[in-house]
Each structure stands twice: as structure tokens, then as C-alpha cells.
Amino acid sequence: MSEKLTAKEYAEKLLYTPEYAADKQADVKEKAAAFAEGYKKFMDSAKTEREAAVVSEQMLLAAGYKAFEPKKAYAPGEKVYFIQENKAVVAATIGQKPYEEGFRLVIAHIDCPRLDLRPNPLYESDHMSYFRTHYYGGVRKYQWATIPLAIHGVFTRADGSSVNFAIGEDENDPVFCITDLLPHLGAEQNERKLSEGIKGEELNVLIGSDTVEEEDVKEAVKLNTLILLNQKYGITERDFTRAEIEVVPAAKARDVGFDRSMIGAYGHDDRVCAYAELKAILDIEAAPEKTCVCILADKEETGSDGVSGMQSSAFECFMEELCDSQNVPLRRCFANSFCLSADVTAAFDPNFPEVSEKRNDAKLNYGMGICKFTGARGKSGTSDASAEVVAYLRKLFADNGVVWQMSELGKVDQGGGGTIAKYMANRNIDTIDAGVPVMSMHAPFEVVAKFDCFMTYLGVLAAYKA
């Protein structure tokens, strides 16, 4: 006969409430703070997906990774990587077990919402020179106005050579901006919907106002800007058609709060998970049981299309080359693999509780957010992980001291969003989303908690070692 419990004892045994965890993990705070310093340095040097790929490659090379050679058989413990179109990264540490038993995959994306220059961006209006832009991804347009902006990119010359540049990051650099109306003249603008406070065609970046010295020169301010660009980079106006140039916030990653418990930066979505994933695979000291693969993808913010997005076959070609070296069908490897889709989730914001489902939304300092399904409204566009996959991940985290919480993206009919998970699940790979909760997601300055960042690193490390 079982012992009768009191109501309080039943409550302790049966009820579940996620707990604020940072104050219960005093020994972890120091490690989380140290982890955050490395992450902030990564963020400051990786403002674009190309730069993130460059920094990632540098870290991989320093850790002994070598360029992948197709048709070569690799031994346990060997480390390989490849870069796709200078914008995506795949790295693998070869495991002890045959590929037929599956891989341990972790995937994040390194592209972020931004402003791209149009193919013919430079123009002059009333003795002011501007760049015309085309927004990429989902930053609300009004948030781009009146903040310091930096310009990063690459020009490809006619001879095939390229020149990379970044202006606005060094304290001695000039910065750029998108202007807005003064409130004294903004009465009509105030009547616009918030989504149209600044319109797409108004996202024009102010880049100059000085002219060439000669008189009677048409578009003298534009010409002066081009002369400066030509003197420094050797480019002409025609070269913009052979360029990829991005406008991003000029701010660096900074500690947030008197207690320095949070990090504010542009691009947490999803470089905070990308860094955790990369750092974790670098920290695998010995040959893991199963081959571990780190995937840093491009184009997630616009649907994962293109040769560097996760709908490309580039990832499959790499995996197939590996499997062929052991005469293993790729489909069998996929069927036996597990993928952690490390993407951020929305954090509950006490300023805007009306859009949240408080019992199910993630919160800062509650640990890594597990998201069983994403999508919009009726779960449209999600892989929706099975109960068995959720149970597997929960046990994995419990066995490795990873603090976690379940998460959704606000109220059911409020909106929603998607991740790369579905593209992995479509390949018959068991996949689940889990990542860092973010406040002000898709803004020029997003906020995360250092504790959650470190727990995400531990969660990825556990997934690799499983």
C-alpha cells in the first residue's frame, strides 16, 4: 500500500514550473561570463555572413581542421571543413562508429537581417549623396532610422580579383545613417501605420555632402564620393554591379545591465547559436563516438534558398562524399542521424505581455529554450519534433547538467516564425529546435542573457558527445 502524501508533497512531485536558474548556478556564472567575452569578440568581427565564415575558418584552422578532400577516407579523430560560396561553413570531426550508424548534426545560420545595396545604389539629390538599399530579412523598417550604420562588403573587379572592406566599425571611421523627420514636421507621418513609419523606398543611406572643387560638374557630390571610393579601393560606379555590400548597425557587442548579466548586439539571431555550435565542436578533445558535423548556413532569413542556403544540395554532397568512402547509402546515414537545430527563440518581454503565452514562452536566465515546433498559427511550416525526440533531448540535457526550458513563439494567432529544422527533417533526419532566448529579436540591437548563452553551448556540446 502506497504512503499517502500531503497536498504539498503531491505538488512537489507532480507539478512542473520552469524556474529562474541563474541564481541557483553561482558556480556557472564565472564560466558564462568568460564564454561571453569570446562570443562578443566573435560578434564584433563577424557583422556579415562572409565575415562570419572567415572568422569561423580561422578558428577551425587554429584547431587543426583541414580542407575537406572528396573521395578521401578519414580516420576517427580527423577534422575537416569546407566553405560554401564564402558564406556558409560545414565542419566535421570524424567519429569512431561507422557512418551507417548516423551522424550528430548541429545547425545554425550566420546570415542576419540587414540592408543590401541595390546594383546601382549611388545617387545625388539636392547636393547630398546617398546609397539606395533593399532590405534583407525582417528588421522593422523604422528601426533603421537615425542610428549609426557601418558598410561592409566585397567588390569583385573585372579581372576577377576582389577587395573586401568595412567602414564604420573603427572609432576613427566615419559612420552613415538614414535620416527621419523631426517631430515638428511629422504630423502626416504620425498617421502612418507603424509598419510604414519608414517605407522601403525611404531606406536611403546618407553618405556625403561635399563636392568636387571644379565648377559646372554635374552631380558634383556623387562624383566626389566616387573619387574617394576610387582612391581607396580602386573602384568605379560600374563595379557596384559586381559587388555585395551590406549596411549594418555600427554598434559593438556590449554588456547590458548594472550586473552585466546580459549582452546587447546586432545579430544574436542566429550568430549566438552559431558561435556556441562552433565553439562546442572545437572543444571536442578526442574522437567522438559518432561523427559530429557543425553547419553554419546562409540565407535562413529569406527562406534558405540559393547555393549557400540549407535547401541547397551542397550539404548533401559533402555528406554523400563521406558516406561513399565507407560504401554507405546517404539515405541510411540520414535515417540514423540526429540534428539539433540551434536557432534562437523569442524571450518573454514584460513590456509587451499581451502578445505572449506566458506559460509557454521562454524567459531570460531560464536556460536553453527547447522549441518542439515553430511555424505560424496552425503550425504552418514546421517539422514538429516527435515526443520521442523531445524525450531524447531532455534526457541528454539532464545527463549533462544543461538547464533548459520549453518555448513557443507567442500566442497561437499572434504571428510565428520558422527555422532551418524543417529542411533537415525533410531529409529524414530526426530534428528539434533549441537555442538562446532573445529579447528585441530582429532589431538592430538584440538582448540575450549570458547564462542562456553558456547553457546553449553546453547543450550543443552534449548533443555532439551523445
Side-chain angles (χ1 to χ4, degrees), residues 79-93:
K79 304 173 180 181
V80 297
Y81 79 96
F82 79 93
I83 309 294
Q84 175 70 1
E85 297 290 329
N86 299 309
K87 299 179 184 180
V89 182
V90 179
T93 300

Side-chain angles (χ1 to χ4, degrees), residues 340-379:
L340 182 66
S341 174
D343 205 341
V344 297
T345 187
F348 174 77
D349 189 335
N351 269 338
F352 305 100
E354 65 277 3
V355 300
S356 299
E357 209 291 276
K358 197 170 182 179
R359 291 178 57 85
N360 288 286
D361 284 4
K363 301 177 179 67
L364 294 191
N365 287 307
Y366 280 61
M368 190 178 189
I370 300 175
C371 199
K372 183 180 185 296
F373 52 84
T374 56
R377 298 174 175 85
K379 297 188 180 182

